[in-house]
């Protein structure tokens, strides 16, 4: 299970120190890791290196991923961060196509596909976010939206695989209406997504499905089903170390 904390534009150094202090206890993290459970933290760009060093010095076996990256390789793109730069910072993967990037920064399905191609060729694990709005759900167009968002990316993944790049890809189903709202999709809806990916793009495509959208220690157990959900992407709740521990205890038991 992959448990990802998307910190969005939150967490300064002092808050990161407090977060890590509250998670102290390297033995339990190693025990969880040995059971196949990993915690990955996604801070803002300026803290990638710092957070990696802090985790190492505390013997906390957490992964570090970025929240975004540029599709271009390098050059005159002021304000952007390249895949190679992320790699250089010891980052293992990157969230791509988050609904906030689509909504506030005009990121298109095509741009997400370009970024995924770049991530794969640089050896970064892409976590591709997709999901429908409330209006799209109410108008019955969920399947169409999922295919439109996943299809162009899956094509690039297959092309990369044909070229010998075997980096895995995770898909984070994040219904827009569930993000930060306190409402979650039900297990039935997540099963529907899984079955759609399988039917539209093949078994392999559905094998790394995460769920995101108002996950916390109360909602998480009802959203977990072996073989369907391979992890969670968590925003608000995982800004707090106590909540991380409560979710891990609830799902995986205290080692
Ligand atoms: C997110 O934005 O990726 C997310 C899942 O947020 P939240 O958990 O706050 O709904």
């Amino acid at each position: 299970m992959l448990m990802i904390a998307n910190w969005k534009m939150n967490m300064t150094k002092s808050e990161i120190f407090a977060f890590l202090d509250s998670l102290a206890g390297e033995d339990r993290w190693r025990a969880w890791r040995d059971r196949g459970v990993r915690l990955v933290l996604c801070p803002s760009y300026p803290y990638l290196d710092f957070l990696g060093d802090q985790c190492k010095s505390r013997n906390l076996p957490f992964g570090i991923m970025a929240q975004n990256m540029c599709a271009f390789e390098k050059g005159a793109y002021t304000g952007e961060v390249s895949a190679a730069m992320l790699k250089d910072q010891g980052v293992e993967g990157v969230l791509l196509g988050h609904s906030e990037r689509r909504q506030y920064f005009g990121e298109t399905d095509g741009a997400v596909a370009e970024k995924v191609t770049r991530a794969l060729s640089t050896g970064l694990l892409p976590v591709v976010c997709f999901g429908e709005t409330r209006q799209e759900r109410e108008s019955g167009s969920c399947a169409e939206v999922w295919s439109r968002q996943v299809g162009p990316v899956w094509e690039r993944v297959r092309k990369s695989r044909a070229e010998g790049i075997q980096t895995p890809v995770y898909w984070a189903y994040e219904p827009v209406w569930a993000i930060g709202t306190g409402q979650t999709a039900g297990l039935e809806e997540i099963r529907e997504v899984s079955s759609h990916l399988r039917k539209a793009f093949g078994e392999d495509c559905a094998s790394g499905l995460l769920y995101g959208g108002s996950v916390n220690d109360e909602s998480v157990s009802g959203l977990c089903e072996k073989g369907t959900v391979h992890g969670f992407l968590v925003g608000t709740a995982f800004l707090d170390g106590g909540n991380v521990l409560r979710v891990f205890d609830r799902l995986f038991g205290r080692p």
Side-chain angles (χ1 to χ4, degrees), residues 3 10 28 32 65 75 78 88 98-99 104 116 142 146 188 233 242 250:
M3 307 295 290
N10 295 296
R28 65 181 157 200
W32 275 322
M65 289 195 196
T78 304
D88 226 16
H98 190 281
S99 66
Y104 304 125
V116 170
C142 286
W146 302 336
E188 203 41 60
L233 178 51
R250 188 66 65 101

Side-chain angles (χ1 to χ4, degrees), residues 26-252:
E26 54 209 69
D27 290 350
R28 65 181 157 200
W29 292 108
R30 260 197 234 101
W32 275 322
R33 189 192 54 190
D34 293 347
R35 291 183 202 168
V37 183
R38 297 195 60 226
L39 176 63
V40 171
L41 305 173
C42 303
S44 296
Y45 289 137
Y47 301 103
L48 288 167
D49 209 9
F50 165 77
L51 182 58
D53 287 347
Q54 285 298 316
C55 291
K56 260 186 224 128
S57 68
R58 292 159 191 252
N59 285 320
L60 293 169
F62 304 154
I64 310 289
M65 289 195 196
Q67 299 174 18
N68 184 31
M69 56 163 241
C70 183
F72 298 120
E73 186 182 3
K74 62 195 279 195
Y77 304 103
T78 304
E80 291 296 310
V81 172
S82 73
M85 289 168 182
L86 295 182
K87 210 49 192 157
D88 226 16
Q89 297 267 304
V91 163
E92 68 180 84
V94 57
L95 305 182
L96 293 172
H98 190 281
S99 66
E100 286 151 15
R101 301 240 27 109
R102 296 174 190 264
Q103 187 183 348
Y104 304 125
F105 303 97
E107 211 161 275
T108 61
D109 299 327
V112 177
E114 293 289 333
K115 290 183 180 194
V116 170
T117 306
R118 178 71 60 197
L120 289 171
S121 67
T122 314
L124 290 171
L125 186 153
V127 176
V128 186
C129 306
F130 70 102
E132 78 287 353
T133 61
R134 163 75 60 205
Q135 200 187 359
E136 287 162 341
R137 173 155 288 275
E138 283 168 0
S139 66
S141 53
C142 286
E144 198 185 302
V145 172
W146 302 336
S147 283
R148 193 192 69 220
Q149 294 180 338
V150 171
V153 176
W154 184 240
E155 233 173 79
R156 301 300 186 96
V157 172
R158 289 184 45 191
K159 194 158 170 263
S160 299
R161 290 199 176 151
E163 287 163 5
I165 298 170
Q166 298 306 325
T167 311
V169 176
Y170 279 90
W171 305 97
Y173 170 55
E174 297 210 302
V176 180
W177 50 268
I179 295 179
T181 61
Q183 289 181 288
T184 60
L187 195 46
E188 203 41 60
E189 282 140 1
I190 303 175
R191 284 190 193 125
E192 222 181 285
V193 175
S194 171
S195 133
H196 178 78
L197 294 185
R198 203 168 282 124
K199 276 193 216 130
F201 306 110
E203 189 66 37
D204 196 19
C205 182
S207 68
L209 184 63
L210 313 178
Y211 170 76
S214 296
V215 171
N216 57 35
D217 59 315
E218 280 168 20
S219 61
V220 76
S221 327
L223 299 169
C224 204
E225 182 173 70
K226 208 164 176 238
T228 307
V229 181
H230 302 89
F232 293 94
L233 178 51
V234 187
T236 318
F238 275 11
L239 289 171
D240 177 85
N243 282 333
V244 174
L245 286 175
R246 276 187 284 281
V247 166
F248 270 69
D249 284 348
R250 188 66 65 101
L251 280 185
F252 314 118

